[in-house]
Amino acid sequence: MNKTKILLNGLIKENPTFVLLLGMCPTLGTTTSASGGLGMGLSTLFVLICSNVAISMAKNIIPDKVRIPAFIVIIATFVTILQLCMQAYLPDLYETLGLFIPLIVVNCILLGRAEAFAAKHTPGDAFFDGLGIGLGFTVALTLLGCVREFLGTGHIFGLPVYPEEYGSLIFILAPGAFIALGFLIAIIHTIKTR
Amino acid sequence: MKKIDSTFWNMLWSLTLITAVAGGLLGYTHRLTEEPIARATKAGREKAIQEVIPEYDNSPIDEQQTIVVRNEYGETPTIVYPAQKEGRLSGAAVECSNNTGYSGEIRIIVGFNADGSIKDYRVLKHEETPGLGAKMNEWFRSEKNDQNILGKSPAKNKLQVKQEAGEVDAITAATITSKAFLGAVRTAYEAYIETTKGENHE
């Protein structure tokens, strides 16, 4: 299978946030700032690549009837490794993302890719699928984070663009997340169907 | 290699193998990261202490004391990090928490000068609303109106929100957070007073 095609499939055609609408909990929870979204996206990218490759390599020794628990154990292992390393070497980022890191285990994007792609393809293809979907998720979260941070506080990546008083608080809160996401999906859909 | 069938024994050894490998990996990572995590936590705490207390030449973190404060919030365990300069107490940093905020625990560290006035503070952990209650780390140090609590002493000033007849402006649209924050500050002060009493006896 063509590697570029797999990569672009994850990034654009089946973008997990803008097209499949998967993993909404971390999407809405961590995107109050651009850096939060970027951090969450990269964490998911790392776990997704590792779990995709591991599951693809182990697919022949996993009997069909117990594949879900096997996948979950593999995903949870990588999430915990990530959590421990982040706590040790990036304590500041860990503080902002905190609760959302362990929740990557139950992110349906990971189990979905394991089931739909990794369990049926070679480790090489699974790697590129993980990379594509992971990058798609990262780009989407960063974009959403930028929009919310800009409209809510007047900053982008913590750099002031306009005074904070003119920001509208709703974009930092949960309703604003839905509104911003809805508009982003509409804009992207319009561009794609042109 | 052909995919193995879902027989009982196949499922058993497959899952056992996967969990054993996972367990081994996790154990190894834990051993590798245990020390850096402890170091990062300690460094974070030390940085917060340094930022809030007056000059010192002792090691506040090694001389920490745990004190339980009993007041209107029930029993609150606090940690007092005493700062000493040339053998005399020059102030202290007090770490304490309050559960009456808008959501979850608010954990702060407050630095006191020897006379009991507030030198500085840091919010260590909170789950308040982003954009509203979360502003407390900046709000109470800003010179605007009656927001500032730095330099004030809970003994002389009534450090409560104006809605409770105090003299501090609450955060706009986050009065509950402000009340809880100031509650934690007063609890910290009580713990500080408790330790200085001990100092005088010595």
Side-chain angles (χ1 to χ4, degrees), chain B:
Chain B
M1 196 176 124
K2 220 190 135 291
K3 196 178 181 73
I4 57 172
D5 292 325
S6 297
T7 60
F8 176 77
W9 291 110
N10 276 349
M11 291 196 276
L12 188 71
W13 73 253
S14 170
L15 278 185
T16 312
L17 181 71
I18 288 171
T19 41
V21 171
L25 271 176
L26 286 181
Y28 183 66
T29 323
H30 177 70
R31 274 234 326 253
L32 275 186
T33 54
E34 199 176 8
E35 216 197 298
I37 290 177
R39 219 182 307 136
T41 320
K42 199 178 166 207
R45 191 74 5 122
E46 235 162 80
K47 197 171 146 268
I49 293 171
Q50 271 168 14
E51 282 169 348
V52 298
I53 53 177
E55 281 181 39
Y56 62 93
D57 51 17
N58 63 331
S59 166
I61 232 167
D62 293 329
E63 292 168 30
Q64 66 182 62
Q65 275 177 278
T66 307
I67 286 176
V68 178
V69 175
R70 286 178 196 79
N71 56 10
E72 73 255 46
Y73 300 108
E75 292 187 358
T76 318
T78 62
I79 306 171
V80 180
Y81 304 97
Q84 285 177 346
K85 180 94 197 203
E86 286 150 11
R88 288 181 56 193
L89 192 77
S90 60
V94 184
E95 186 186 326
C96 82
S97 64
N98 190 295
N99 287 323
T100 59
Y102 199 66
S103 105
E105 179 194 62
I106 298 176
R107 181 161 273 278
I108 61 168
I109 188 161
V110 194
F112 293 102
N113 292 312
D115 63 355
S117 61
I118 296 168
K119 169 122 194 321
D120 207 343
Y121 72 89
R122 288 283 179 281
V123 178
L124 297 175
K125 191 179 144 245
H126 75 88
E127 284 151 40
E128 302 303 299
T129 321
L132 292 174
K135 277 192 219 154
M136 61 193 151
N137 209 3
E138 291 82 41
W139 182 274
F140 295 105
R141 62 174 82 251
S142 152
E143 279 298 341
K144 240 157 80 188
N145 301 330
D146 289 326
Q147 289 174 211
N148 186 27
I149 62 164
L150 304 188
K152 293 188 177 169
S153 161
K156 295 182 211 112
N157 303 86
K158 198 162 191 291
L159 291 188
Q160 269 174 296
V161 294
K162 287 197 172 157
Q163 286 88 334
E164 286 179 334
E167 52 180 82
V168 183
D169 276 331
I171 304 170
T172 317
T175 310
I176 296 175
T177 306
S178 308
K179 280 183 193 168
F181 173 83
L182 293 173
V185 171
R186 292 197 305 275
T187 309
Y189 180 71
E190 284 173 42
Y192 174 66
I193 291 301
E194 194 74 19
T195 37
T196 48
K197 261 189 219 154
E199 287 290 319
N200 292 341
H201 287 303
E202 274 169 26

